[in-house]
């Protein structure tokens, strides 16, 4: 039996790649950068499976380029806003993602960003490296405490809950806004987003990027936050209006922000946010622990192979394809 042909849009960790190679005839895009649109359309032609990254837009055009033999699209990420899922569903193609295994890494990183923004860690390091540290100063680089403060989580899925769990040890009171989630880890629900913004000292975003959440963190949202508050975003850059954030941070209408995700990615170096001392930005690395990235590759490979075998994907974002 010939092995099924698949296109893998980047070199992923061996834990997943070895599995893919064992089961498939895999063409693996070797570039450090994602394949261009033209290359993606060309490489997709005639394949039975596509294993893609969050940097690849997969829509009807790509699915049609692959053709009727396409059985599965497996995303190497828990978020899947890079895939036009209704296009896949309309063609009966299951789409896989990688939930769960990056929850702890992402929650750790959200916490790292929260602490770093509150205590001005990267600003302090820049200060030191610039030779500005001349003595210990009573008022040098003062930040804000966590203990006794309120952390507001916007979105209370797996990652939001893991952040809440960590917050217990930091003596934070935790509230969340997510009408679909049940309470966990001492976190209490609030009825409205406005209420959360009004009382939170830290606001951390944990929603997927959807039509409803796109630019949810806009001038209005920011104007409802406390002037001493810290904003953290480890979800998706599209959730935030960066121009509005720039204005809020520049005018000190909030204390600081820490972003692991931006729009676009990578963030152009002339982005005004990069000129602000009270804005910390990292290059979408919240899930970048060895364990998480190994397991993302592994789950993505498992989804791909299940789809190729005609089995139900272990993690499928459009299970309605099985109801046909
Ligand atoms: C995901 O899996 O959606 C993350 O953003 C990757 O870091």
């Amino acid at each position: 039996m010939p092995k099924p042909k698949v296109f893998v849009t980047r070199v992923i960790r061996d834990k997943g790649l070895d599995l893919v190679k064992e089961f498939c005839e895999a063409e693996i895009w070797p570039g450090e950068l994602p394949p261009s649109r033209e290359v993606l359309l060309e490489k997709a032609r005639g394949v039975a499976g596509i294993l893609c990254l969050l940097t690849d837009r997969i829509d009807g055009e790509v699915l049609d380029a692959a053709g009727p033999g396409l059985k599965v699209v497996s995303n190497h990420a828990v978020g899947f806003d890079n895939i036009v899922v209704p296009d896949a569903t309309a063609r009966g193609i299951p789409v896989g993602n990688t939930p769960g295994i990056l929850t702890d890494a992402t929650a750790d990183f959200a916490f790292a960003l929260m602490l770093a923004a509150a205590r001005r860690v990267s600003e302090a390091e820049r200060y030191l490296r610039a030779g500005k540290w001349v003595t210990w100063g009573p008022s040098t680089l003062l930040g804000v405490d966590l203990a006794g403060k309120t952390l507001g989580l916007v979105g209370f899925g797996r990652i939001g809950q893991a952040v809440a769990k960590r917050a217990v040890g930091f003596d934070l009171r935790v509230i969340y806004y997510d009408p679909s989630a049940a309470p966990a880890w001492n976190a209490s629900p609030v009825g409205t987003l406005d209420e959360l913004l009004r009382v939170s000292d830290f606001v951390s975003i944990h929603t997927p990027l959807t039509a409803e959440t796109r630019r949810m963190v806009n001038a209005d949202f920011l104007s409802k936050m406390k002037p001493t508050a810290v904003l953290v975003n480890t979800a998706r850059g599209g959730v935030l209006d960066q121009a509005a954030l720039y204005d809020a941070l520049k005018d000190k209408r909030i204390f600081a922000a820490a972003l692991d995700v931006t729009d676009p990615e990578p963030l152009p170096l002339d982005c005004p946010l990069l000129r602000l001392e009270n804005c910390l930005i990292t290059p979408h690395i919240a899930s970048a622990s060895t364990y998480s990235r190994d397991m993302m590759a592994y789950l993505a490979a498992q989804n791909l192979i299940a789809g190729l075998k005609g089995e139900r994907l272990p993690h499928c974002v459009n299970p309605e394809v099985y109801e046909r």
Side-chain angles (χ1 to χ4, degrees), residues 91-321:
R91 290 161 179 78
I93 297 163
V95 175
N97 72 337
T98 63
I101 36 77
L102 47 74
T103 299
D104 283 324
T106 307
D108 286 349
F109 203 76
F111 235 90
L113 289 182
M114 196 159 87
L115 285 165
R119 299 301 307 274
R120 302 168 66 177
V121 173
S122 51
E123 181 186 353
E125 210 215 1
R126 282 193 295 275
Y127 169 94
L128 178 148
R129 286 177 188 260
K132 294 182 184 166
W133 185 20
V134 288
T135 184
W136 187 93
S139 302
T140 303
L141 289 162
L142 303 185
V144 293
D145 293 297
L146 271 68
K149 299 285 176 53
T150 298
L151 166 62
L153 302 169
V154 181
F156 200 58
R158 288 187 201 83
I159 297 171
Q161 290 178 28
V163 171
K165 180 176 167 186
R166 284 152 178 76
V168 173
F170 280 84
D171 277 345
L172 281 157
R173 168 183 170 245
V174 186
I175 58 175
Y176 68 88
Y177 177 69
D178 186 338
S180 64
W185 299 107
N186 289 346
S188 316
V190 290
T192 64
L193 185 57
D194 283 7
E195 185 186 344
L196 181 137
L197 298 176
R198 188 170 47 77
V199 299
S200 294
D201 301 290
F202 298 89
V203 175
S204 190
I205 309 296
H206 300 286
T207 54
L209 177 61
T210 64
E212 289 75 46
T213 63
R214 183 171 289 282
R215 309 284 177 248
M216 173 185 69
V217 183
N218 54 20
D220 182 53
F221 181 111
L222 294 161
S223 72
K224 291 173 181 155
M225 289 175 63
K226 293 185 180 184
T228 48
V230 172
L231 174 75
V232 176
N233 187 10
T234 50
R236 282 292 182 266
V239 172
L240 175 72
D241 176 343
Q242 287 171 185
L245 179 66
Y246 174 78
D247 289 340
L249 288 171
K250 178 176 61 70
D251 300 341
K252 308 262 183 316
R253 280 186 266 120
I254 63 171
F255 180 73
L259 317 174
D260 183 48
V261 285
T262 61
D263 186 14
E265 292 182 359
L267 191 65
L269 284 181
D270 61 359
C271 173
L273 285 172
L274 292 171
R275 297 200 298 266
L276 298 175
E277 287 291 6
N278 56 350
C279 190
L280 190 173
I281 308 182
T282 50
H284 201 151
I285 55 165
S287 70
S289 72
T290 306
Y291 168 80
S292 282
R293 291 290 167 85
D294 280 352
M295 288 306 292
M296 285 165 74
Y298 188 67
L299 286 198
Q302 281 189 322
N303 280 331
L304 181 80
I305 293 166
L308 294 170
K309 288 180 172 166
E311 294 169 1
R312 202 179 173 100
L313 309 195
H315 302 284
C316 184
V317 306
N318 57 345
E320 58 276 22
V321 290

